[in-house]
Structure formats: structure tokens, C-alpha cells
Amino acid sequence: MRAQPAASHFINGTPHEDPVGQLLESRYPATGEVIASLRAATPETVNAAVAAARTGFKVWAATPPVERGRVLRRAADILRERNRELSELETLDTGKPLQETLVADAASGADCLEYYGGLAATLTGEHIDLGGSFAYTRREPLGVVGAIGAWNYPIQIACWKAAPALVCGNAVVFKPSEVTPLSALKLAEILKEAGLPDGVFNVVQGFGETGAHLVSHPDVAKVSLTGSVPTGKRVAATAAETLKHVTLELGGKSPLIIFDDADLENAVSAAINANFYSSGQICSNGTRVFVQKGLKEAFLARLAERTAKARMGDPMDESVDTGPLVSQSQLDKVMAYVAKGVDEGARLVCGGTRATVEGFPDGLFVEPTVFADVVDHMTIAREEIFGPVMCVLDFENEDEAIARANATEFGLAAGVFTRDLQRGHRVIAQLQAGTCWINTYNLTPVEMPFGGYKMSGIGRENGHAAIAHYSQIKSVYVEMGDVESAY
């Protein structure tokens, strides 16, 4: 089972190899098998990618926005035509079940490219009437964007960053996670096939050092990162040295508040999706599930019943809904948190062990895990686990739920379940989170801005809001009369 690309990098419209770069291996998490061996980019390779982007930028920025949109829409069509091939590649790289990748990865990336392709003709300035004179504004690109992806949704994240950047006329140098390096190379090939000029979208592989060199490069105008809070802090500090524009989509420990009057089945479904989809490896997951005391025991009983039905197995089997974690280090981290939850007195309702899956003895599988009687000071209630571990906390009343939900450094997402829509809107208005849901969870249509408050990030991805983060406004005053001066 191999997925070896033609080369490790994609620079100036062609595959590019860096034979002296550090070895980088992609492993299939279900078996541990190495499916591709690549080389990390040296500083010289990053410099070459940025130089190619600068040259490509001059051509792309001068391309009419409508034509930019056509290229993005053609790329979206190609992504959809090759969805199965790309989904299988994403499953090999991430371990996520094919049942998920067929609908949530390349397909959602195509939606993003199509959406921003459709916005291209609307990227206009404004005319400002000043009486005898007037002013106008121009929306202009920033230049070269350095984009750094995460390993949980590789091609989706690449599209979420590339689409708004490209439609605004920027060029991009994208660094995928070293854990999941493959699908970004396919995206680069597809964008070229769709008509994107050489140098406008480049891919460089590597570890933290590669990302740091990209962030500090003087010819990079903006950095967009999806990653952890510690990484985000380092990126922001480095970018500040040259006052680069920055978008940071970071971690979370998001609350999902379920009131007594909520529909039980829907609330359980949302809690499952908010904790176990993609084996819990989603930044916006609602991992602190606050359940009002009157519903708590019924909720836990039904949750345990339904969680027992999770199908864990071969990720390439479309009937399987629960796959392995992405890497051994991630599995070790998750299991350490499970042990900490037990040690600190949380009640283990189900799961809690590494799973043995027939035919996959080396697979990185963890049982979907639910802790009850969790209290706010516990480690599992405060720190992001990024695995299939749900913490259920109980509460008495609305004010208590809001205060405890907000008592965190994070603010990426939040959800509320209630039949009382007035209460739903009232509670959401008081939650300190950038992306919220009422009576559902984790739906992220590209039309809706996505991002966090507090330590969960800066800026927004998706929706019209992202345009502001990948462009700048130039104001022009036009004098129609004479110019007076004091002398």
C-alpha cells in the first residue's frame, strides 16, 4: 500500500525534490505501514518557493478577478471528479474512515474553492462622494501568503486557506503538517491543471523549522496557521517582528450545553459528533458537555447505549465509522489524559482503553471514551485532548452553565441544546466563543465565518469575513478643484 508522490515539494508549477532535506515519512495509522517517504525543505528550498511565489504574484494579481474565479471553480470541478481518489489518499494519510473523507475533506475543499470563485466579481471598492471632489477605495492583495496546515483535515485546510488568498490575487506557499503531507501536493497539481499560473500555489514539506523559516521570511506578507495555541504564540511573535498580517485558527476546549428540555436523541447525536467524529481530532469539538441535572442520567444511559454501536475497523470499509488516531505520539497523549481522568476521580462510563481491531494489530485505535461526574478543575476538563474523550459535567441553572462554560482560556466554539429558542439565543449571546451552534454542532459551511475568541485565535476563515484577512484597502482622494495653500 503506497502513495508515494512524484516529489516532496511543488514549486513554480512543477514537482521539486530536496535530496538533502530531513527524511519525512507518512504512515497509515491503521497498520503503521510507511506509505510515502519525503524530504523536508531546506531553507534554500523555502527561499525558492517564496521567490517563485513573488514572481507568480505579479502575474496573478494582474489577472482580472473574474478570471481568477473561473480558475478556482474549474479546480472545484476537478476535485469533485476525483473525490474518491483524493478521499482514499486522505484516509491513508490520516486514518480517518473513508465514510468520513468521502464527504468531509476534498468535497468540502471543493465547496470552498467554488464559493470564493463565485465571489470573485464582487471584490470591488467603493465610491465616496465628497461634494465637489470624491474618493474611492481599491481592494488589493497582500502579496505572498505563508500558510501552515494541520494534520486532521489536510486538503480541506489547504483549500480554506488557498481559496480566499487566491481569489484576492495573492500567491501562496503552503506547508502541510509533516504527519499528513500528501494531499496538498495533489491540490497543487489540480490548481495548475485548472489554469493557475506557475508559482502562485507552492507546497513545501517540513517540520517546525520549515514553518519557522517561512514565517520569518521577509518576502512573506501574511501568515495563516491552523495549529495549537503554543505554536500560534510562536508564529504571532515571529510575524510581529516584520508586522506580517496573521490569521490563527488554534485549539479549543469548547462547551456543549444541554438543558433539561432538549430533545434527548438530538442532544446525544450532537455530543457523539462533537467528540467522536474523526476520532475526536477536531479543534472545535464540544469536549465539555454540560448536562442539566434533570436530564443527566437519561443522557448518560442513552449515550452509553449508542456509543457501544460504534463500528471500529478497516478505515477503507465504508461501513466503518471509527478510525485510528493519526500517530503513535497522539495515541500516547490521549491515553495519558484518560489515565489522568481516572486518577483525578472522574467516573468512566465507557471506553478508556486502547482498542484491538481484528486484522489491524498495530492500528492506533482508541475506544470512544466517556467520563461523567467531571468537575471544572480536573485536567481533562481544562486541557485540549484531541482524541475520542468526552467529559460530561452537570449544572443546575442557566447562569451557572454560562459562567462555567466561559471559565477557560479558549473560545473557539460553543453549542446549546434547548427547545426554548429564546433561551438558546440568550445563552449563545453570552458565551465567549467565535463559532456557535443552536440545536446542532460542528457544522461549518464555507459561507459561515469560522474562528475563535481569546486563546483560540485571531481572524476568521470562510465567509465574506475571510476576504478582509487576505486583502488590504487602498483609499484614493480625487480633487476636482484647485488646491489652496497658506502661501
Side-chain angles (χ1 to χ4, degrees), residues 180-487:
T180 54
L182 301 178
S183 58
L185 295 168
K186 290 292 186 182
L187 177 63
E189 293 171 0
I190 287 170
L191 286 167
K192 178 180 174 65
E193 184 179 340
L196 192 70
D198 290 347
V200 180
F201 185 82
N202 309 273
V203 177
V204 293
Q205 308 288 354
F207 301 90
E209 298 84 356
T210 303
H213 188 69
L214 182 61
V215 172
S216 63
H217 199 290
D219 291 332
V220 170
K222 178 194 170 67
V223 177
S224 178
L225 165 77
T226 298
S228 68
V229 171
T231 301
K233 289 179 178 180
R234 292 194 296 271
V235 166
T238 302
E241 295 175 3
T242 49
L243 291 181
K244 289 176 170 59
H245 299 254
V246 175
T247 296
L248 303 175
E249 196 273 282
L250 307 177
K253 192 69 181 176
S254 301
L256 172 55
I257 302 173
I258 301 171
F259 287 94
D260 282 346
D261 68 338
D263 180 284
L264 178 60
E265 290 301 313
N266 286 338
V268 171
S269 292
I272 288 171
N273 290 339
N275 285 271
F276 303 144
Y277 198 76
S278 292
S279 297
Q281 299 168 122
I282 301 176
C283 55
S284 57
N285 270 355
T287 52
R288 291 185 298 146
V289 181
F290 291 89
V291 184
Q292 200 163 16
K293 287 187 176 179
L295 190 64
K296 174 186 171 183
E297 292 306 326
F299 175 86
L300 287 171
R302 188 64 180 130
L303 177 64
E305 288 175 4
R306 292 181 55 183
T307 299
K309 298 177 182 178
R311 290 201 59 181
M312 192 174 294
D314 182 357
M316 287 294 184
D317 179 349
E318 289 185 48
S319 69
V320 166
D321 51 45
T322 304
L325 296 180
V326 74
S327 66
Q328 182 65 51
S329 62
Q330 190 63 23
L331 183 143
D332 293 342
K333 174 186 173 184
V334 170
M335 294 312 299
Y337 274 113
V338 171
K340 181 76 73 172
V342 173
D343 290 344
E344 293 184 356
R347 171 162 59 101
L348 188 61
V349 175
C350 60
T353 63
R354 179 170 179 174
T356 300
V357 176
E358 185 177 355
F360 295 87
D362 298 318
L364 305 175
F365 294 90
V366 173
E367 293 179 340
T369 299
V370 177
F371 281 107
D373 304 331
V374 178
V375 291
D376 299 337
H377 66 78
M378 291 180 178
T379 303
I380 58 173
R382 293 184 291 105
E383 298 182 9
E384 185 177 36
I385 299 173
F386 225 66
V389 180
M390 183 192 306
C391 299
V392 178
L393 308 90
D394 52 60
F395 69 95
E396 294 275 3
N397 57 58
E398 182 179 311
D399 289 342
E400 176 197 347
I402 293 168
R404 291 170 61 197
N406 286 336
T408 173
E409 65 179 2
F410 298 108
L412 183 54
V416 174
F417 266 77
T418 177
R419 285 190 172 93
D420 182 347
L421 285 181
Q422 286 182 315
R423 175 164 59 188
H425 291 295
R426 183 173 65 242
V427 171
I428 283 291
Q430 297 177 76
L431 294 178
Q432 297 166 359
T435 309
C436 299
W437 298 273
I438 297 174
N439 292 334
T440 191
Y441 203 87
N442 259 354
L443 298 180
T444 54
V446 69
E447 296 88 348
M448 184 177 84
F450 181 84
Y453 288 4
K454 299 190 284 189
M455 287 289 186
S456 288
I458 298 171
R460 291 295 178 268
E461 295 183 314
N462 294 343
H464 288 262
I467 296 298
H469 298 292
Y470 287 96
S471 60
Q472 53 197 342
I473 297 293
K474 176 180 286 182
S475 297
V476 182
Y477 185 108
V478 180
E479 178 58 68
M480 300 298 289
D482 296 329
V483 178
E484 297 182 2
S485 67
Y487 53 88

Side-chain angles (χ1 to χ4, degrees), residues 32-52:
E33 177 187 357
V34 175
I35 59 171
S37 297
L38 301 89
R39 294 282 178 179
T42 59
E44 292 74 20
T45 295
V46 175
N47 291 344
V50 174

Side-chain angles (χ1 to χ4, degrees), residues 128-169:
I128 305 164
D129 191 343
L130 300 172
S133 300
F134 66 93
Y136 66 91
T137 62
R138 290 170 49 89
R139 185 171 293 280
E140 298 184 345
L142 301 172
V144 176
V145 173
I148 301 174
W151 46 256
N152 55 340
Y153 281 84
I155 198 167
Q156 182 197 76
I157 290 171
C159 290
W160 279 20
K161 297 183 187 306
L166 295 177
V167 81
C168 289

